[in-house]
Amino acid sequence: LDELNVMLQKLKPEVAGAATFSESAKSQDDGKQEVRNIHARAKGRQERSLQTVATIEDILMKTEQKAEDTTTEFVRQNEVVHNIDDKLVVLGDDIKRAKRELNAFVLRMATDKLILCILFLIVLGIVVAIIFHFALKSDSNNSSTPAPK
């Protein structure tokens, strides 16, 4: 862009000089064909230079607009990336907290299962003790009563 601006600044004085030369050549109509030819060439160069300057200005404006659009898009994308990064940090913290809570829950479940196993063994022991108590009692009742003849 800087190079185009420098080139544009260089061409503007040449175009202005050509216009001045063209006007002065027109005012001195002494009938010489050579002056007319120089004038025609100068006018042609002036028109081409003006077209080139206009083209360069157009390209320069389009380039500046594109650069501005690109910069705006980069800023927007940068904000999006920062928002995603912030959300990922929060998500990572949530995952760590959930892992701690899940580990605590698994430990409580293991403890509960151990307690249930111990309770089951106690109940089983009580049931076996009751069965043995009644079985021994009925055996002792059976052995103390004479058998019928």
Side-chain angles (χ1 to χ4, degrees):
L1 292 176
D2 292 334
E3 290 177 24
L4 289 175
N5 277 330
V6 169
M7 199 165 110
L8 182 63
Q9 294 305 324
K10 286 180 182 179
L11 285 175
K12 283 185 179 180
E14 288 180 25
V15 170
T20 304
F21 177 76
S22 172
E23 293 301 320
S24 67
K26 245 184 189 178
S27 66
Q28 296 176 359
D29 189 20
D30 59 0
K32 294 188 178 180
Q33 186 62 30
E34 186 177 338
V35 172
R36 289 189 181 122
N37 289 341
I38 291 173
H39 171 67
R41 284 192 308 245
K43 188 174 182 179
R45 282 184 182 170
Q46 180 184 12
E47 289 174 1
R48 285 192 304 272
S49 294
L50 287 173
Q51 289 173 352
T52 302
V53 168
T55 302
I56 289 172
E57 285 179 339
D58 186 48
I59 290 171
L60 186 60
M61 286 190 296
K62 287 178 182 177
T63 303
E64 286 176 348
Q65 182 62 41
K66 192 69 163 176
E68 186 177 313
D69 294 344
T70 302
T71 302
T72 303
E73 181 64 19
F74 282 153
V75 167
R76 187 191 68 75
Q77 288 179 0
N78 190 25
E79 290 173 2
V80 169
V81 168
H82 282 296
N83 289 341
I84 290 171
D85 185 49
D86 292 343
K87 289 177 183 178
L88 286 176
V89 168
V90 170
L91 184 64
D93 292 342
D94 289 347
I95 287 173
K96 286 178 185 175
R97 185 171 22 90
K99 185 178 179 180
R100 284 193 306 267
E101 289 179 13
L102 187 61
N103 286 340
F105 181 72
V106 167
L107 183 61
R108 277 183 288 195
M109 282 183 56
T111 304
D112 291 348
K113 285 182 181 180
L114 182 63
I115 291 171
L116 283 175
C117 286
I118 292 171
L119 286 175
F120 177 73
L121 290 174
I122 291 171
V123 169
L124 186 64
I126 292 172
V127 170
V128 169
I130 291 172
I131 290 173
F132 275 126
H133 177 70
F134 285 115
L136 290 177
K137 198 176 199 184
S138 71
D139 278 345
S140 62
N141 285 343
N142 285 344
S143 54
S144 61
T145 56
K149 290 193 181 185

